[in-house]
Amino acid sequence: MNVDIFTLFPEWFEWFLEQRHVSNVLGAGSSIECVNYRDHTPLSGRQVDDTPFGGGAGMVLRVDVLDSALRGHYGVDPVDLRMERRVIALAPGGRLLDDQLVDELAAEPALTLLCGRYEGFDERILEHFASDVVSIGRYVLSGGELAAMVLCDAVSRKLPGALGDDRSAAEESFSAALEGRPEYPHYTRPADYRGWRVPEVLLSGHHERIAEWRRERSRERGTDQEQSAQR
Ligand code: 6GU
């Protein structure tokens, strides 16, 4: 997969790209490239944002700057770009990122991520250039960069070569293998610590009983999580 990240802070991603599971995926044929909006702005002084029409606090990323940045990088009109590849604007009001969306994005050959800053994007960017608007939760971050990293992290775990063992991604929390529910609890040595004993069934070597126990625990956790989401 090829991922391009448009941002005002490309240096934020340097640390992220060095992390093991990300660099494994990059080594296995994927690529992540960062593009600085400021390198493409048609405005003087590397300006990229402006005050909102109608007044109010903060600054808004300009539609002409995004047009130049996308056109400069891809050599096509950004209105047509979103027909070729998913162009995802990261904004708090977007579609909530969940395992289903992560799977959907992991199946794409290429993604473009647009990070907003300040008060966010001129609405025309979302309307005309983005194919999707994605949010990582119902709270406000100061920019889309951390959300882009969250999305890349979650997507890259689904790509071949990311994890030591490809089964880990298939059976993990919220996956279809667990019918969308959270993962069962894990234990390792010591089997008894301060009197806190590991459930006996896990030490039994009885694979069917272990699988059954894990399904039950996963179901219980799913119910607990639904109940706390309703509160
Ligand atoms: Cl994608 N962006 C910002 N600025 N805040 C967020 C978010 C995204 N998702 C949750 N909060």
Side-chain angles (χ1 to χ4, degrees):
M1 173 183 298
N2 154 252
V3 183
D4 296 327
I5 303 172
F6 286 73
T7 171
L8 292 169
F9 300 98
E11 67 281 1
W12 283 38
F13 292 88
E14 285 168 19
W15 160 85
F16 176 71
L17 297 179
E18 286 166 10
Q19 301 313 303
R20 171 75 67 71
H21 66 281
V22 182
S23 65
N24 283 350
V25 165
L26 297 180
S30 293
S31 64
I32 301 184
E33 188 184 344
C34 291
V35 181
N36 193 334
Y37 294 122
R38 291 193 200 279
D39 293 341
H40 293 275
T41 180
L43 309 174
S44 61
R46 289 168 70 79
Q47 184 190 346
V48 292
D49 56 352
D50 225 319
T51 53
F53 283 126
M59 300 291 273
V60 177
L61 276 180
R62 288 175 53 135
V63 63
D64 51 350
V65 170
L66 272 275
D67 195 338
S68 293
L70 291 166
R71 196 186 294 263
H73 189 74
Y74 295 106
V76 298
D77 186 335
V79 166
D80 301 321
L81 181 66
R82 63 180 179 177
M83 262 82 91
E84 290 170 23
R85 55 196 281 149
R86 299 282 278 265
V87 179
I88 299 169
L90 294 152
R95 172 177 170 190
L96 271 184
L97 186 68
D98 59 9
D99 190 69
Q100 190 193 333
L101 180 53
V102 171
D103 270 332
E104 202 179 302
L105 298 179
E108 295 283 335
L111 301 176
T112 297
L113 305 182
L114 305 177
C115 302
R117 272 273 138 184
Y118 318 114
E119 284 309 292
F121 298 97
D122 184 300
E123 188 66 19
R124 291 166 291 184
I125 296 166
L126 308 183
E127 263 175 50
H128 300 290
F129 298 159
S131 61
D132 306 76
V133 185
V134 170
S135 164
I136 63 163
R138 296 300 181 224
Y139 43 81
V140 179
L141 302 168
S142 45
E145 283 77 12
L146 289 171
M149 287 185 221
V150 166
L151 188 154
C152 284
D153 185 298
V155 167
S156 66
R157 301 181 78 263
K158 306 268 186 178
L159 301 177
L163 307 173
D165 179 352
D166 278 340
R167 276 176 311 173
S168 337
E171 263 217 9
E172 72 184 358
S173 294
F174 316 116
S175 62
L178 290 178
E179 295 163 23
R181 286 187 285 266
E183 209 169 12
Y184 46 80
H186 300 285
Y187 297 89
T188 186
R189 282 179 284 275
D192 187 345
Y193 185 69
R194 296 177 55 185
W196 306 325
R197 291 195 47 77
V198 170
E200 218 51 54
V201 59
L202 297 179
L203 310 176
S204 69
H206 197 302
H207 299 298
E208 278 154 44
R209 278 178 49 214
I210 292 171
E212 176 58 20
W213 181 88
R214 286 178 166 169
R215 271 194 301 277
E216 281 167 12
R217 299 291 86 72
S218 171
R219 275 192 205 112
E220 272 172 17
R221 286 193 164 179
T223 314
D224 290 349
Q225 207 170 50
E226 278 159 28
Q227 280 165 356
S228 54
Q230 280 159 14
R231 279 200 286 274

